[in-house]
Amino acid sequence: MSAYVKIKGLTRIFDVSKPWLNRLLERRSKAFLTAVSEVDLEIEERTTYALVGESGSGKSTIGRMLVGLLRPTAGEVEIEGVNLATETDADKIASVRSNIQMIFQDPFASLNPRWRVRDIIVEPVASKGEDTVGLAEKLLEQVGLHPSDAGKFPHEFSGGQRQRICIARALASNPRLIVCDEPTSALDVSVQAQVLNLMSDLKDDLGLTYLLITHDLTVVRHMADRIGVLYLGRLVEEADPKSLFETPKHPYTQMLLEAAPRMDGFGREVDPPQGEIPDPIDPPKGCAFHPRCPIAGDICRQERPLSRQIGNGTVACHFAE
């Protein structure tokens, strides 16, 4: 398989400073928040790459930079061999962008309440002036809804049905890559399984590539071909699901897996995760995880660990062995 997406040194910094006058009166300097810091990863064609981590780790920011909703502060995003950060040919960029779609976390918030489902689904195709006759009905049937639902409004559906509508809209332009930002977190467990099974079937049938953004480890274990673990905007570990779940190398990954609920976990005693995520405006020096790490040494407080190959994956930890 070839790498469909290549991300190198991807960084995004937000200016979160107070207004100029407030800073002048309070004698404060500008404040910058580093949401994503020097992330390298590759997504192979027709596979599912999952990004996991606590809230605020930068997962959604990476997804939004990938689809073009945010511009990187630094680094490269290469899709289909086109570097979107440096490419100047507008036609090339438009061609790549047309092969990318996104499924958002809240299905109701991402659907226009004043539009009928038919108009919502065909919008990506209609905006290019292409024929949309019968397209919405066909896609609704493909995602397990009835063709007659095309004439209804979003408020007439349940949460799971709305997410299916979002999936149908994402499929309308025949994309090759779909960024799924917490696609099931707003749904109950039984509906989650239905939506995930639908996404898995569509991936196999249509040859799709997924970037799956989630905090649910049970989802990634069964859906992902490759998993990246993010902490404070940094990719701390990357491996296949079997290696990651059976022999996690990074202390943060071990902490996440220990804290995850398990069917056989009744009565088990697990130490709760220690400490809080540091302030991303003023991150700790060296390894970002060292204030919470049980095995941190002096080097962890001084030097940021480089990602290196260990076993079937890569780990950014001085003491991963």
Side-chain angles (χ1 to χ4, degrees), residues 102-244:
M102 189 166 186
I103 300 171
F104 294 92
Q105 180 174 354
D106 185 348
F108 193 54
S110 63
L111 299 175
N112 190 329
R114 295 181 177 84
W115 284 18
R116 296 187 185 275
V117 167
R118 177 182 293 104
D119 300 322
I120 291 172
I121 291 175
V122 303
E123 183 188 10
V125 180
S127 64
K128 295 187 286 187
E130 298 177 10
D131 181 27
T132 61
V133 176
L135 177 61
E137 288 78 5
K138 175 187 171 184
L139 289 169
L140 284 171
E141 203 164 9
Q142 196 169 5
V143 298
L145 295 175
H146 197 274
S148 62
D149 290 333
K152 298 179 181 178
F153 290 95
H155 73 266
E156 299 179 64
F157 297 90
S158 67
Q161 290 172 325
R162 288 178 198 141
Q163 197 61 291
R164 288 171 184 263
I165 293 169
C166 292
I167 294 172
R169 176 178 59 185
L171 296 175
S173 58
N174 292 317
R176 296 177 62 188
L177 170 67
I178 299 181
V179 176
C180 312
D181 187 1
E182 302 273 12
T184 59
S185 64
L187 310 175
D188 62 52
V189 176
S190 60
V191 179
Q192 281 184 15
Q194 295 172 15
V195 171
L196 290 171
N197 287 335
L198 171 64
M199 290 173 58
S200 184
D201 292 341
L202 290 171
K203 171 177 168 281
D204 295 336
D205 296 342
L206 304 176
L208 299 172
T209 303
Y210 287 144
L211 172 62
L212 178 62
I213 297 166
T214 182
H215 61 270
D216 191 340
L217 293 171
T218 56
V219 169
V220 299
R221 184 165 196 167
H222 298 291
M223 278 202 66
D225 300 292
R226 195 81 177 164
I227 302 172
V229 182
L230 279 175
Y231 182 77
L232 211 68
R234 307 179 185 190
L235 193 67
V236 296
E237 185 167 1
E238 185 185 54
D240 60 273
K242 187 174 187 297
S243 301
L244 191 85

Side-chain angles (χ1 to χ4, degrees), residues 265 292 301:
R292 306 171 69 186
R301 300 177 182 89

